[in-house]
Amino acid sequence: MKRVILLFVSLVVMAFQLLFAQSFTVKGKVIAEEGNEPLIGVAIMQEGTNNGVITDIDGNYSIEIKGVAQATLVYSYIGMQQQQHVVTPQTHKLDITLKSDAQLVDEVVVVAYGVRKKGTVTGSVSTVKSEKIESVPTAGFDQALQGQTPGLMVMSNSGEPSKAATFQLRGTNSINSGTSPLFILDGVPISSNDFNTISPSDIESISVLKDASSTSIYGARAANGVVVITTKRGRAMDKAHVTLRTQWGISQLAKGEWNLMNTAERIQFEKEVGLDSGQDYDLLSKTDVNWRDMVFNDNAMLQNYDLSISRATEKLNYFVSGSFYDQDGIAQGSIFSRYSIRANAEVKASNWLKVGTNSMVAYEEVEQADAGSYSLSSPISACRFMLPYWNPYNSDGSLATNANGGWTGTTVNPIEWMDNNPVTNKKYKVLSVLFAEVTPIENLTYRIQFGADFTHSTGFMQSFPSYQLNNGLGAAGRQSNDILNLTITNTLNYKFDINCDHHFNVMLGQEGIDYRAEGFTLTTRNQNNDYLTNISSGTRASSWQDSSSAYSYVSVFGRAEYNYADRYYADLSLRADASSRFGKDHRWGQFWSVGLMWNAKKELFLKDVKWLHNAQVSFSTGTSGNSEIPNFDHLALVSGGRTYMDTAGIAPQQKGNEKLSWETTWTTNLGFHLGFFDRVNVDLELYHKRTSDILMEVPQSYSEGNNGYRWDNIGVMTNQGVELSVNADVLRLRDFVWNVNANVSYNKNEIKELYNGVQEYELPNTSTKWVVGHPYGEFFINRYVGVNPANGDPLWYDKDGNITTEFRESDKVMVGKNYLAPWQGGFGSTLTWKGISVNAQFSWVADRWMFNNDRFFEESNGLYTGYNQSKRLLYDRWKKPGDVTDIPRWGVTPQMDSRFLEDASFLRLKNLMISYTFPQSWMKKTNFFTNARIYAQGQNLLTFTKFSGLDPEAFTNMYQAQYPMSRQYSFGLELSF
């Protein structure tokens, strides 16, 4: 009987447990990770059923689970990443934090012809996201990349607003051929000249592909690396997302070192050296002009407006934007304005077809100041020559001219010259990509993409007749250039798995590029009316020229990727390219790569090591090519434009070289990627690059044609180096995050072989020399010792290191100093507390040298007495026995020696931004705005350098009359609704 009662009680208890298990309630609250604000209307569904609820105004929910002892709840919200959680009767309460789907962008990396999940790429790829780019107060995105990516050197030859920076990735690979990376915008190659046509706020990410595994599939054009630019798409939302960005600011000289004499110093100097004959110093002393302030503007205005609309649904994804950017340059006669429109759209026409476009239209107006060469009329150059008692303006503020008697200088007033010789450039840009993706069966995708890149640019030059130097006869010139670049790409991609652990991804592709350009220039003279200074009002044509050019590529390529259980990864790439720049027998080039990666963290022996959240080792090796030479130099050509007794004729232009072929770079890369404590990430990469069959302009007799050189495949060059980057969240609290980042790169370049067994080749007028066993860009120059304290004579070292008083060309030596910096990097820090964010980013280069040619004129010591000179000639030149200085006695003119070779290394505070994002609770009360942010920032705020010129940032061996970089202060507002 007891057994029966016990069995009955057990059955009753089990029945009650089953009853309760079949019905239980889970409650909780859903908030957004960004701002910790409650989310209204989040859908919570019981997986596999129609049972579901949504959160209330405070983000709270309560859902009843019936009929099961365990269930999976799915949390979904537009614009957020979906989450799934298993619940049981013991769960009771479950609070959820949803992440924005914008963070999904951080989980993928853009690579060649596709995207990959972060951490699954065998190659070397660095990515810069939109938040580092979209608010930078510059016309192009290029300046935002300086110091951000290890191995990528970004330097500006000019601070002129429309000029693009120069890019160099992991050193110089070639001697005369192109050294810039290949730039890809939404799958279409573009030129760096087009950077300023792209609104930085339209960019989603920039990926820098550095090793063979990531670049060789681009084959012919990838020897110098690849920069892939991806523009924005719409994101999943319940309604359209509208964003307005505005920015206002001013620009001024970033460094502005000025060491020229003022009037009092100039008068004293003239008296000391005997230049005071006939001078009325009582009159001259009343005028004291700082010509730097006359030419460079400390309040050059900047304004930028961007408006974008975007949305993504199951069937449609679109991003549409329009922008206006306007910036006055800091130098006289320098202005840049841009209007641009972008439309990116994808339509899912059916389950097997998707079509779309990425299109942009831009219009620019540009006025550029003359820079980079010496002239007494162009302001940037002339400001260094003008004497401080020459005033460019009359007392009433009008321009001082020879005509009104206000100009007292012995040369022209350079500001008047600019006003009377304006040059205006216009550019019209259309770039459109159309694509279609067909998925006939699961995991098989065929994509066809067509890109059209059209540029129409014009220039208009005037020299007004009323300008006194023109003697009543003016001039006008026009130029027009059209460029059309067509690209078609076909890819077939198939993904499949075997036994769950073996994952394959195979792609085959074909690509064709057709580039055509044509243009003309025409100048006429003898116009006699300022209002009719145009081409047609001239009486004779003084110069005319037209040109046309073209090239094409045809390519086939393939890539196979494999990974086993997300632990072992391998990929193989093959590509064959044919270029019209080479002869028919040497037109094709073949390139390949192999990449391997071991995700050690997935191994059982590391899986439970909590402090190590990432451990990967990658290796790649392979080849890529370079064909950046003139389009027709392989051909034997004649040219026109020659005359004989007023009869048009032709003459031999070049012999050509049908054996010309590809320059090839073989790159090997070893990478280590480590993550600690889920907050510190360290990337270390070592590489070796060997470039062979270098495309070089080989010297030849001028009687052979082609201006004394011919293109040939000669020589070998190597680059090897190391890159280290660290990113860490030093503090990560509920409302406070402190992040730091740093990267450093070192590259060693060496010329291994030159042409025809030659061991060295000096480049005229550059103070550099190519020598086997030395790096490209090393200076070859006489070594300056200083001044003999006894008599003020200059001293030099001869080639054997002995001190001499004679300056001889034969005493030049390689000095071990280079204008290409082997060291470079950047570091920064971001502090975030609630809605407040402070970000600082520095960039630096080290062991970089430049010849300061400006000093040759400023310290001429009697060579250019009619122009202003450096204060050092007054205070530091040798004057009496016993003086220790580096400036000889008066009358001993300078030589092109190492005295003017300066350390141009620098550390620059590239950007400092303080921003505040308003709380979401405030936004909800408006029932209109979804986000609001204000910020203030400074660009190029501080510069630390030993270089004595106006600015150390110039990608050149010789600094002369450069347009310096600007410092910018700006304020911005960003609204979303």
mmCIF file of all heavy atoms in Angstrom, residues 581-603:
data_model
loop_
_atom_site.group_PDB
_atom_site.id
_atom_site.type_symbol
_atom_site.label_atom_id
_atom_site.label_comp_id
_atom_site.label_asym_id
_atom_site.label_seq_id
_atom_site.Cartn_x
_atom_site.Cartn_y
_atom_site.Cartn_z
ATOM 1 N N ARG A 581 50.627 48.872 -73.646
ATOM 2 C CA ARG A 581 51.866 49.638 -73.532
ATOM 3 C C ARG A 581 53.109 48.829 -73.920
ATOM 4 O O ARG A 581 54.199 49.378 -73.991
ATOM 5 C CB ARG A 581 52.023 50.157 -72.101
ATOM 6 C CG ARG A 581 51.042 51.270 -71.761
ATOM 7 C CD ARG A 581 51.078 51.607 -70.294
ATOM 8 N NE ARG A 581 50.263 52.781 -70.007
ATOM 9 C CZ ARG A 581 49.770 53.077 -68.816
ATOM 10 N NH1 ARG A 581 49.997 52.270 -67.797
ATOM 11 N NH2 ARG A 581 49.048 54.153 -68.637
ATOM 12 N N PHE A 582 52.927 47.534 -74.130
ATOM 13 C CA PHE A 582 54.049 46.678 -74.477
ATOM 14 C C PHE A 582 53.860 46.072 -75.861
ATOM 15 O O PHE A 582 52.747 46.010 -76.388
ATOM 16 C CB PHE A 582 54.212 45.567 -73.441
ATOM 17 C CG PHE A 582 54.387 46.067 -72.040
ATOM 18 C CD1 PHE A 582 53.586 45.595 -71.015
ATOM 19 C CD2 PHE A 582 55.343 47.019 -71.743
ATOM 20 C CE1 PHE A 582 53.738 46.057 -69.721
ATOM 21 C CE2 PHE A 582 55.508 47.484 -70.446
ATOM 22 C CZ PHE A 582 54.703 47.000 -69.437
ATOM 23 N N GLY A 583 54.958 45.588 -76.447
ATOM 24 C CA GLY A 583 54.907 44.947 -77.745
ATOM 25 C C GLY A 583 54.098 43.672 -77.717
ATOM 26 O O GLY A 583 53.918 43.044 -76.662
ATOM 27 N N LYS A 584 53.633 43.251 -78.896
ATOM 28 C CA LYS A 584 52.699 42.132 -78.958
ATOM 29 C C LYS A 584 53.304 40.835 -78.437
ATOM 30 O O LYS A 584 52.570 39.954 -77.962
ATOM 31 C CB LYS A 584 52.219 41.944 -80.397
ATOM 32 C CG LYS A 584 53.323 41.618 -81.396
ATOM 33 C CD LYS A 584 52.772 41.450 -82.802
ATOM 34 C CE LYS A 584 53.880 41.105 -83.793
ATOM 35 N NZ LYS A 584 53.346 40.923 -85.170
ATOM 36 N N ASP A 585 54.619 40.675 -78.513
ATOM 37 C CA ASP A 585 55.246 39.440 -78.045
ATOM 38 C C ASP A 585 55.537 39.450 -76.545
ATOM 39 O O ASP A 585 55.935 38.428 -75.986
ATOM 40 C CB ASP A 585 56.553 39.187 -78.806
ATOM 41 C CG ASP A 585 56.315 38.937 -80.293
ATOM 42 O OD1 ASP A 585 55.225 38.414 -80.626
ATOM 43 O OD2 ASP A 585 57.204 39.281 -81.105
ATOM 44 N N HIS A 586 55.377 40.604 -75.903
ATOM 45 C CA HIS A 586 55.667 40.715 -74.470
ATOM 46 C C HIS A 586 54.502 41.380 -73.733
ATOM 47 O O HIS A 586 54.684 41.956 -72.670
ATOM 48 C CB HIS A 586 56.957 41.515 -74.248
ATOM 49 C CG HIS A 586 58.164 40.906 -74.860
ATOM 50 N ND1 HIS A 586 58.480 41.071 -76.203
ATOM 51 C CD2 HIS A 586 59.124 40.105 -74.342
ATOM 52 C CE1 HIS A 586 59.591 40.407 -76.471
ATOM 53 N NE2 HIS A 586 60.008 39.820 -75.372
ATOM 54 N N ARG A 587 53.342 41.270 -74.307
ATOM 55 C CA ARG A 587 52.178 41.997 -73.791
ATOM 56 C C ARG A 587 51.597 41.356 -72.533
ATOM 57 O O ARG A 587 51.068 42.029 -71.667
ATOM 58 C CB ARG A 587 51.141 42.082 -74.902
ATOM 59 C CG ARG A 587 49.983 42.996 -74.617
ATOM 60 C CD ARG A 587 49.350 43.442 -75.920
ATOM 61 N NE ARG A 587 50.204 44.400 -76.616
ATOM 62 C CZ ARG A 587 50.026 44.787 -77.861
ATOM 63 N NH1 ARG A 587 49.050 44.270 -78.586
ATOM 64 N NH2 ARG A 587 50.832 45.679 -78.412
ATOM 65 N N TRP A 588 51.666 40.025 -72.462
ATOM 66 C CA TRP A 588 51.019 39.319 -71.355
ATOM 67 C C TRP A 588 51.973 39.151 -70.184
ATOM 68 O O TRP A 588 53.158 38.870 -70.355
ATOM 69 C CB TRP A 588 50.519 37.950 -71.809
ATOM 70 C CG TRP A 588 49.269 38.016 -72.630
ATOM 71 C CD1 TRP A 588 49.180 38.095 -73.985
ATOM 72 C CD2 TRP A 588 47.935 38.046 -72.132
ATOM 73 N NE1 TRP A 588 47.868 38.161 -74.384
ATOM 74 C CE2 TRP A 588 47.074 38.131 -73.251
ATOM 75 C CE3 TRP A 588 47.360 38.009 -70.867
ATOM 76 C CZ2 TRP A 588 45.690 38.178 -73.136
ATOM 77 C CZ3 TRP A 588 45.981 38.055 -70.750
ATOM 78 C CH2 TRP A 588 45.161 38.144 -71.868
ATOM 79 N N GLY A 589 51.421 39.334 -68.995
ATOM 80 C CA GLY A 589 52.161 39.080 -67.764
ATOM 81 C C GLY A 589 51.332 38.197 -66.854
ATOM 82 O O GLY A 589 50.101 38.296 -66.824
ATOM 83 N N GLN A 590 51.986 37.295 -66.127
ATOM 84 C CA GLN A 590 51.283 36.384 -65.229
ATOM 85 C C GLN A 590 51.712 36.668 -63.792
ATOM 86 O O GLN A 590 52.913 36.842 -63.518
ATOM 87 C CB GLN A 590 51.597 34.915 -65.579
ATOM 88 C CG GLN A 590 51.040 34.450 -66.918
ATOM 89 C CD GLN A 590 51.864 34.927 -68.102
ATOM 90 O OE1 GLN A 590 53.106 34.955 -68.037
ATOM 91 N NE2 GLN A 590 51.209 35.320 -69.188
ATOM 92 N N PHE A 591 50.736 36.693 -62.902
ATOM 93 C CA PHE A 591 50.988 37.027 -61.509
ATOM 94 C C PHE A 591 50.223 36.041 -60.618
ATOM 95 O O PHE A 591 49.156 35.556 -60.984
ATOM 96 C CB PHE A 591 50.577 38.468 -61.217
ATOM 97 C CG PHE A 591 51.133 39.451 -62.211
ATOM 98 C CD1 PHE A 591 50.372 39.890 -63.278
ATOM 99 C CD2 PHE A 591 52.441 39.887 -62.100
ATOM 100 C CE1 PHE A 591 50.897 40.766 -64.213
ATOM 101 C CE2 PHE A 591 52.970 40.767 -63.025
ATOM 102 C CZ PHE A 591 52.201 41.209 -64.088
ATOM 103 N N TRP A 592 50.746 35.792 -59.440
ATOM 104 C CA TRP A 592 50.168 34.766 -58.574
ATOM 105 C C TRP A 592 50.438 35.099 -57.110
ATOM 106 O O TRP A 592 51.287 35.928 -56.785
ATOM 107 C CB TRP A 592 50.777 33.394 -58.893
ATOM 108 C CG TRP A 592 52.276 33.380 -58.711
ATOM 109 C CD1 TRP A 592 53.221 33.717 -59.639
ATOM 110 C CD2 TRP A 592 52.994 33.064 -57.505
ATOM 111 N NE1 TRP A 592 54.479 33.631 -59.097
ATOM 112 C CE2 TRP A 592 54.375 33.221 -57.798
ATOM 113 C CE3 TRP A 592 52.617 32.666 -56.232
ATOM 114 C CZ2 TRP A 592 55.362 32.992 -56.842
ATOM 115 C CZ3 TRP A 592 53.587 32.434 -55.276
ATOM 116 C CH2 TRP A 592 54.952 32.594 -55.586
ATOM 117 N N SER A 593 49.732 34.406 -56.242
ATOM 118 C CA SER A 593 50.004 34.531 -54.804
ATOM 119 C C SER A 593 49.452 33.320 -54.071
ATOM 120 O O SER A 593 48.494 32.678 -54.526
ATOM 121 C CB SER A 593 49.392 35.804 -54.216
ATOM 122 O OG SER A 593 47.986 35.678 -54.105
ATOM 123 N N VAL A 594 50.069 33.036 -52.941
ATOM 124 C CA VAL A 594 49.602 31.998 -52.012
ATOM 125 C C VAL A 594 49.557 32.626 -50.626
ATOM 126 O O VAL A 594 50.517 33.283 -50.202
ATOM 127 C CB VAL A 594 50.540 30.776 -52.012
ATOM 128 C CG1 VAL A 594 50.106 29.775 -50.945
ATOM 129 C CG2 VAL A 594 50.568 30.113 -53.377
ATOM 130 N N GLY A 595 48.448 32.423 -49.928
ATOM 131 C CA GLY A 595 48.298 32.943 -48.579
ATOM 132 C C GLY A 595 47.859 31.857 -47.613
ATOM 133 O O GLY A 595 47.006 31.026 -47.955
ATOM 134 N N LEU A 596 48.439 31.858 -46.418
ATOM 135 C CA LEU A 596 48.106 30.884 -45.382
ATOM 136 C C LEU A 596 47.859 31.628 -44.079
ATOM 137 O O LEU A 596 48.508 32.637 -43.791
ATOM 138 C CB LEU A 596 49.242 29.880 -45.187
ATOM 139 C CG LEU A 596 49.697 29.084 -46.420
ATOM 140 C CD1 LEU A 596 50.962 28.313 -46.101
ATOM 141 C CD2 LEU A 596 48.597 28.145 -46.896
ATOM 142 N N MET A 597 46.921 31.112 -43.284
ATOM 143 C CA MET A 597 46.668 31.726 -41.986
ATOM 144 C C MET A 597 46.229 30.653 -40.991
ATOM 145 O O MET A 597 45.413 29.789 -41.313
ATOM 146 C CB MET A 597 45.603 32.812 -42.097
ATOM 147 C CG MET A 597 45.523 33.716 -40.863
ATOM 148 S SD MET A 597 44.288 33.203 -39.676
ATOM 149 C CE MET A 597 42.804 33.804 -40.488
ATOM 150 N N TRP A 598 46.807 30.724 -39.815
ATOM 151 C CA TRP A 598 46.466 29.792 -38.731
ATOM 152 C C TRP A 598 45.817 30.586 -37.606
ATOM 153 O O TRP A 598 46.425 31.476 -37.044
ATOM 154 C CB TRP A 598 47.731 29.088 -38.233
ATOM 155 C CG TRP A 598 47.498 28.204 -37.033
ATOM 156 C CD1 TRP A 598 46.406 27.433 -36.763
ATOM 157 C CD2 TRP A 598 48.393 28.027 -35.925
ATOM 158 N NE1 TRP A 598 46.564 26.769 -35.579
ATOM 159 C CE2 TRP A 598 47.783 27.107 -35.037
ATOM 160 C CE3 TRP A 598 49.663 28.514 -35.615
ATOM 161 C CZ2 TRP A 598 48.380 26.704 -33.850
ATOM 162 C CZ3 TRP A 598 50.262 28.101 -34.433
ATOM 163 C CH2 TRP A 598 49.622 27.203 -33.564
ATOM 164 N N ASN A 599 44.554 30.257 -37.316
ATOM 165 C CA ASN A 599 43.825 30.885 -36.218
ATOM 166 C C ASN A 599 44.032 30.031 -34.975
ATOM 167 O O ASN A 599 43.243 29.144 -34.654
ATOM 168 C CB ASN A 599 42.340 31.004 -36.556
ATOM 169 C CG ASN A 599 41.595 31.860 -35.551
ATOM 170 O OD1 ASN A 599 42.159 32.284 -34.532
ATOM 171 N ND2 ASN A 599 40.332 32.116 -35.819
ATOM 172 N N ALA A 600 45.145 30.292 -34.287
ATOM 173 C CA ALA A 600 45.540 29.448 -33.160
ATOM 174 C C ALA A 600 44.545 29.515 -32.010
ATOM 175 O O ALA A 600 44.433 28.567 -31.220
ATOM 176 C CB ALA A 600 46.935 29.857 -32.679
ATOM 177 N N LYS A 601 43.808 30.588 -31.909
ATOM 178 C CA LYS A 601 42.854 30.727 -30.810
ATOM 179 C C LYS A 601 41.764 29.656 -30.870
ATOM 180 O O LYS A 601 41.167 29.304 -29.849
ATOM 181 C CB LYS A 601 42.232 32.138 -30.857
ATOM 182 C CG LYS A 601 41.190 32.404 -29.774
ATOM 183 C CD LYS A 601 41.751 32.223 -28.382
ATOM 184 C CE LYS A 601 40.669 32.479 -27.322
ATOM 185 N NZ LYS A 601 41.145 32.169 -25.967
ATOM 186 N N LYS A 602 41.506 29.122 -32.065
ATOM 187 C CA LYS A 602 40.481 28.096 -32.219
ATOM 188 C C LYS A 602 40.975 26.712 -31.788
ATOM 189 O O LYS A 602 40.182 25.768 -31.714
ATOM 190 C CB LYS A 602 40.033 28.038 -33.686
ATOM 191 C CG LYS A 602 39.293 29.278 -34.165
ATOM 192 C CD LYS A 602 37.919 29.388 -33.555
ATOM 193 C CE LYS A 602 37.146 30.561 -34.153
ATOM 194 N NZ LYS A 602 35.774 30.670 -33.617
ATOM 195 N N GLU A 603 42.275 26.585 -31.547
ATOM 196 C CA GLU A 603 42.804 25.296 -31.108
ATOM 197 C C GLU A 603 42.363 25.009 -29.671
ATOM 198 O O GLU A 603 42.180 25.929 -28.860
ATOM 199 C CB GLU A 603 44.340 25.298 -31.193
ATOM 200 C CG GLU A 603 44.900 25.538 -32.586
ATOM 201 C CD GLU A 603 44.678 24.358 -33.520
ATOM 202 O OE1 GLU A 603 44.187 23.303 -33.062
ATOM 203 O OE2 GLU A 603 44.996 24.487 -34.717
#
